[in-house]
Amino acid sequence: MARKKEKNENSGLKKLVIFLAILVIAFPVAVFGYIYFKLNTMHDTTADENILNETNFQSEKGITNILLAGTDGRPGEKNSRSDSMMILTVDSKNKSLKLTSLNRDTYVNIPGHGEEKLTHAYAYGGANLLAETIENNFEIDIQNYAVVDFYSFMDIVDALGGVEVDVHENEIKELNKFIPETYKWSNNANKGSIEYINSAGNQRLNGYQTLAYSRIRKNDSTQERDRRQRQVIEGLMNGVKDLPVSKYPKLLDTILPYVKTNMKPTQIIGLAGKVLGIGNLSITQIEFPFENASTPVTLPGKGFVIKFDESSLDVLHDFIFKNIIP
């Protein structure tokens, strides 16, 4: 019940997975020459390479950990939190791709700010402080990061012609509650009149409908929210895989204005080579903290937070570095 009382709205936009999947999984090597100069527009000149280049925590040759963050800023907001945070592991050693979702309410020590929710680190100091916070608390070396903002999600979905998800009967009311707001946010000139969801089952949602679906939060548990988010990601990845190569440039143009990364074009292309070398492009996903090694509590002045058992870090490290699925 405690998780149903979470007050912070979560857009559920694991958008960077979609972005990196498009760049390093779905795009064949043949198009990299075309996109090289476009990729350079994403480079974040504020990146603190000292933090990213230091190796103070666990790392292994052949394993690259990339921090992915989606921010939840709305129009007029100067500072935004990282609404979605994940570690994408490109594991050439064990020939696997892994995705670790980090719960935004995880109670951590943020350098210079004390104990807070993980989601606040980005608001305090951007991607640099978020990477440092994750390294310090989870004892994992982060080599790179990519950040995308809230509004790209709808554009990506619409560029792919929608995404197919399985809407449950008990989700319809909460989904439709968010649709008027997400419809207003959508800049799609062809979005037409507002459309609500009237029935359960498998169906293709447009951009603003998918965003509303991903924002369902108080309807059930954190685990169900994450299930919905994974379903959207998988649907989008399938859409990218099925997209004709001729439509890649338009999709890239849709995504690029929203993305910032410390990686330069040569690094992204090199990363793509590593991914393609793995062969099996399926992604194994987990969420941290683990449910059986965490304690949801409500703290004065902090609200709902999730404390994790430090011994569970060994299990997390085994997943990332040894390919042992918990």
Side-chain angles (χ1 to χ4, degrees):
M1 293 294 294
R3 296 192 177 195
K4 292 184 179 180
K5 296 180 180 179
E6 295 171 293
K7 295 182 180 180
N8 290 325
E9 193 178 64
N10 183 354
S11 65
L13 308 181
K14 306 209 168 169
K15 315 174 219 43
L16 288 213
V17 177
I18 301 162
F19 163 69
L20 285 181
I22 291 168
L23 289 184
V24 304
I25 297 175
F27 277 168
V29 176
V31 302
F32 286 157
Y34 168 78
I35 67 174
Y36 180 90
F37 292 105
K38 287 182 174 291
L39 293 179
N40 198 47
T41 65
M42 301 185 305
H43 186 246
D44 185 0
T45 57
T46 68
D48 188 340
E49 298 298 338
N50 290 327
I51 294 174
L52 297 168
N53 290 335
E54 288 179 349
T55 308
N56 298 324
F57 302 96
Q58 186 165 353
S59 63
E60 287 190 22
K61 185 177 181 180
I63 296 178
T64 303
N65 289 314
I66 305 161
L67 169 62
L68 312 177
T71 64
D72 67 352
R74 301 333 191 247
E77 292 183 349
K78 293 183 179 180
N79 296 316
S80 60
R81 296 164 298 184
S82 49
D83 188 65
S84 300
M85 293 156 287
M86 295 163 290
I87 299 171
L88 175 65
T89 302
V90 179
D91 185 351
S92 299
K93 179 181 175 182
N94 298 295
K95 299 295 183 182
S96 66
L97 296 173
K98 288 163 282 193
L99 187 68
T100 303
S101 299
L102 304 175
N103 195 302
R104 70 199 299 273
D105 294 321
T106 306
Y107 201 50
V108 296
N109 188 286
I110 300 176
H113 298 274
E115 293 186 315
E116 285 281 1
K117 294 182 182 183
L118 180 61
T119 186
H120 294 309
Y122 187 85
Y124 292 147
N128 296 318
L129 183 58
L130 178 58
E132 185 179 3
T133 299
I134 290 172
E135 288 190 335
N136 289 352
N137 287 272
F138 304 142
E139 300 175 7
I140 294 172
D141 187 50
I142 299 294
Q143 286 88 26
N144 298 293
Y145 72 78
V147 179
V148 70
D149 79 31
F150 187 85
Y151 291 95
S152 66
F153 186 72
M154 290 183 287
D155 290 346
I156 294 170
V157 172
D158 286 334
L160 290 172
V163 63
E164 187 171 317
V165 299
D166 180 13
V167 179
H168 295 179
E169 186 69 39
N170 68 341
E171 295 169 337
I172 295 176
K173 181 178 179 181
E174 189 79 359
L175 192 167
N176 285 331
K177 183 181 78 173
F178 288 118
I179 281 181
E181 187 172 30
T182 56
Y183 175 82
K184 187 189 306 180
W185 289 338
S186 174
N187 293 320
N188 187 346
N190 299 316
K191 65 183 178 181
S193 300
I194 191 169
E195 295 183 19
Y196 293 93
I197 304 304
N198 299 314
S199 61
N202 287 320
Q203 50 200 295
R204 184 168 290 275
L205 305 184
N206 62 32
Y208 66 80
Q209 291 170 336
T210 304
L211 179 54
Y213 176 78
S214 300
R215 294 177 67 208
I216 296 173
R217 184 175 179 85
K218 299 180 181 179
N219 192 65
D220 38 45
S221 66
T222 299
Q223 287 73 29
E224 281 297 293
R225 182 192 69 210
D226 291 339
R227 175 192 61 78
R228 285 187 288 270
Q229 295 168 352
R230 287 193 298 269
Q231 189 177 186
V232 168
I233 293 168
E234 290 168 6
L236 282 163
M237 288 186 66
N238 289 333
V240 171
K241 287 186 219 175
D242 296 337
L243 194 70
V245 175
S246 61
K247 293 189 178 181
Y248 285 174
K250 181 179 179 181
L251 184 59
L252 191 63
D253 287 339
T254 299
I255 297 169
L256 289 185
Y258 298 102
V259 180
K260 285 298 178 185
T261 176
N262 72 300
M263 292 183 284
K264 296 180 180 178
T266 51
Q267 292 176 289
I268 296 174
I269 293 172
L271 180 63
K274 291 180 181 179
V275 171
L276 293 174
I278 289 173
N280 180 9
L281 301 184
S282 62
I283 299 179
T284 304
Q285 301 184 40
I286 65 168
E287 180 173 352
F288 189 85
F290 305 115
E291 188 175 8
N292 62 355
S294 61
T295 307
V297 296
T298 301
L299 300 177
K302 307 293 183 181
F304 177 88
V305 301
I306 298 176
K307 294 185 175 182
F308 64 92
D309 186 341
E310 289 192 5
S311 65
S312 65
L313 291 177
D314 290 335
V315 181
L316 175 63
H317 295 169
D318 283 347
F319 172 69
I320 290 177
F321 296 104
K322 298 180 181 178
N323 213 36
I324 299 174
I325 301 174

